[in-house]
Amino acid sequence: MKLHEYQAKQILRDFGLPVPQGEVASSPEGAKAIAERLGKPVVVKAQVHMGGRGKAGGIKLANTPDEAYAVAKEILGKRLISPQNPDGLIAEQVLVEEAVAIEKEYYIGITVDRTTQHNVLMVSLQGGMDIEEVAATHPEAIATVAIDPLLGLTDYMAREALYGAGFDHSLIRPMTPILQALYRAYVACDANLAEINPCALISDGRIIPADAKITIDENALYRQKRLASYHEESIEDPIEAEAQKRGIAYVRLGGTVGIIGNGAGLVMCTVDEVARAGGRPANFLDIGGGAKADRVREAVEIVMMDPSVKGLLFNIFGGITRGDEVAKGILEALQTMEVKVPIVVRLAGTHAEEGLELLKGTPLIPASTMQEAAQKIVELAR
Ligand code: GDP
Ligand code: MN
């Protein structure tokens, strides 16, 4: 789960980092009021889950509250497009923050390195710009150091990284506590990424986080009560957000063949089979075990919210879930709603024959193997 810059900055503030003063607004009036309260020049920053906001026109300086009003008006509701987000994202909120006079921009970040099975600290003098770009063109400009989970991020690890990246001796003392606070925040909020880019050296000599990006491990949300409340709004796709609300495991994939199955593994296989049959899967949806009519209806509703869906494939393996129960669930669900696309149902396992028997005389098209089902639905969805 990605956090917005203002949310990430609040966390960093809680861990003692010198985050510039600022507040978030969702209207030009709100932005103006914040600028008035701050009483100094501000920077108005679009709160969207993407990097490169600066280049996309989502970050603007404002010297007066009236200017803050004007630039907030310009940014709010605007579609910001970056190379990584060609469809763009719309800013519904702006962070209005005291502007700082940046002299140098550094990069610092912590993430999980699955190869070494450690959290790693990354630092670079080439901050400000896209770090993926730096990694691709000048990998030697980024120093990485594995963080010992028992020792934490010690002074010597910080020194190794900073000297390794070519930081000046005079920066070691001020940078070390910043790296350590970032690591404490990272661990405490179950993050799998925490970045400050730029970590800025400003005109008065202080080093401050000018930007912040934190991604939380969603498996930890049960114990991250405050962060859990950010979850729904962090989901960009409106259908995924709705599915999340209803507690349904749904991922939009962009194709035309809607897929509903029971069990994550089976659904992933189905996605593959549809692709193998020459189709493009519209989604992943795991309906779970023991699916009854209500749940089936909700699943169908979610899948059909995507207007590109041209056919629907049910792939059910009856184990504890009995095939006839699921068939009944599908039929009951379809009585209460109108689905205009062809539906193929593959039932196997416990009580599959009884289930297929129930489908006779209905518009549902039975299939006995996954491959056959995939071929049929791909054909029909053309
Ligand atoms: P990103 O482009 O989405 O990563 O957004 P950032 O928050 O990193 O901002 C992009 C760039 O805007 C930074 O690298 C800075 O050069 C500039 N910037 C951001 N905040 C300020 C500020 O308060 N003062 C000044 N002078 N520049 C800023
Ligand atoms: Mn940045």
Side-chain angles (χ1 to χ4, degrees):
M1 167 179 93
K2 290 177 185 170
L3 298 187
H4 281 302
E5 177 188 6
Y6 78 91
Q7 296 163 337
K9 278 182 165 166
Q10 186 52 51
I11 293 173
L12 297 183
R13 204 175 270 133
D14 294 346
F15 281 82
L17 284 164
V19 175
Q21 277 187 294
E23 287 171 58
V24 67
S26 46
S27 69
E29 292 78 14
K32 180 177 172 178
I34 298 167
E36 269 162 1
R37 273 200 291 282
L38 291 172
K40 46 185 127 177
V42 293
V43 57
V44 179
K45 310 180 78 175
Q47 297 301 288
V48 285
H49 293 299
M50 67 182 232
R53 290 168 302 161
K55 277 187 208 152
I59 296 178
K60 297 216 150 64
L61 287 165
N63 286 311
T64 64
D66 285 332
E67 268 180 53
Y69 180 96
V71 297
K73 194 165 177 189
E74 210 180 302
I75 294 172
L76 286 165
K78 176 173 161 181
R79 189 171 290 274
L80 298 170
I81 295 169
S82 74
Q84 290 81 24
N85 285 278
D87 293 341
L89 291 173
I90 291 174
E92 279 163 15
Q93 291 175 304
V94 286
L95 171 63
V96 181
E97 201 177 67
E98 57 174 313
V100 287
I102 299 180
E103 299 201 335
K104 291 258 165 58
E105 302 194 320
Y106 311 124
Y107 170 90
I108 66 176
I110 296 168
T111 192
V112 183
D113 180 354
R114 291 174 204 281
T115 314
T116 59
Q117 301 184 358
H118 275 79
N119 290 314
V120 287
L121 170 66
M122 301 167 288
V123 303
S124 177
L125 286 172
Q126 301 204 22
M129 58 174 123
D130 192 1
I131 197 68
E132 283 80 11
E133 171 90 28
V134 179
T137 55
H138 299 284
E140 73 289 345
I142 305 171
T144 62
V145 168
I147 303 168
D148 186 299
L150 294 178
L151 298 177
L153 176 47
T154 62
D155 289 5
Y156 69 80
M157 291 172 201
R159 273 199 301 276
E160 184 187 343
L162 292 166
Y163 281 128
F167 275 73
D168 187 77
H169 179 68
S170 64
L171 290 167
I172 304 297
R173 198 183 283 268
M175 284 296 290
T176 299
I178 293 177
L179 297 175
Q180 290 170 334
L182 182 64
Y183 179 65
R184 280 197 300 277
Y186 171 92
V187 171
C189 65
D190 288 305
N192 45 33
L193 175 74
E195 278 184 334
I196 301 178
N197 186 27
C199 183
L201 173 64
I202 59 175
S203 52
D204 66 7
R206 287 184 307 140
I207 298 176
I208 59 133
D211 187 13
K213 187 183 205 175
I214 295 181
T215 307
I216 307 294
D217 179 349
E218 282 171 30
N219 295 311
L221 289 179
Y222 74 95
R223 63 181 189 189
Q224 294 288 348
K225 292 286 175 279
R226 182 173 70 157
L227 301 176
S229 68
Y230 296 155
H231 193 205
E232 267 168 33
E233 63 160 311
S234 78
I235 303 169
E236 281 133 33
D237 186 284
I239 306 178
E240 289 185 6
E242 184 58 34
Q244 166 74 27
K245 242 184 248 167
R246 301 188 189 188
I248 292 176
Y250 168 92
V251 182
R252 196 162 174 184
L253 300 173
T256 59
V257 179
I259 294 168
I260 297 174
N262 62 335
L266 185 69
V267 179
M268 284 193 270
C269 284
T270 314
V271 166
D272 286 353
E273 281 303 334
V274 165
R276 215 152 70 109
R280 286 185 304 122
N283 68 275
F284 168 102
L285 192 154
D286 174 11
I287 202 166
K292 291 267 177 349
D294 271 359
R295 188 130 186 102
V296 176
R297 197 189 58 244
E298 281 209 303
V300 175
E301 265 169 24
I302 291 287
V303 172
M304 295 312 299
M305 277 178 197
D306 179 351
S308 25
V309 171
K310 300 287 181 280
L312 184 53
L313 171 54
F314 275 92
N315 189 6
I316 305 293
F317 186 85
I320 295 168
T321 311
R322 288 166 33 189
D324 54 340
E325 287 279 325
V326 178
K328 259 185 234 157
I330 299 173
L331 289 171
E332 266 177 58
L334 294 176
Q335 267 163 17
T336 63
M337 62 196 303
E338 200 187 354
V339 179
K340 292 204 176 98
V341 302
I343 304 176
V344 171
V345 182
R346 180 254 180 169
L347 283 176
T350 314
H351 285 213
E353 281 92 38
E354 290 88 334
L356 289 168
E357 198 60 37
L358 287 172
L359 300 183
K360 280 196 182 137
T362 74
L364 304 180
I365 302 150
S368 47
T369 70
M370 219 194 293
Q371 287 75 10
E372 182 196 331
Q375 275 154 14
K376 277 188 175 163
I377 197 64
V378 169
E379 198 68 21
L380 290 164
R382 280 236 163 81

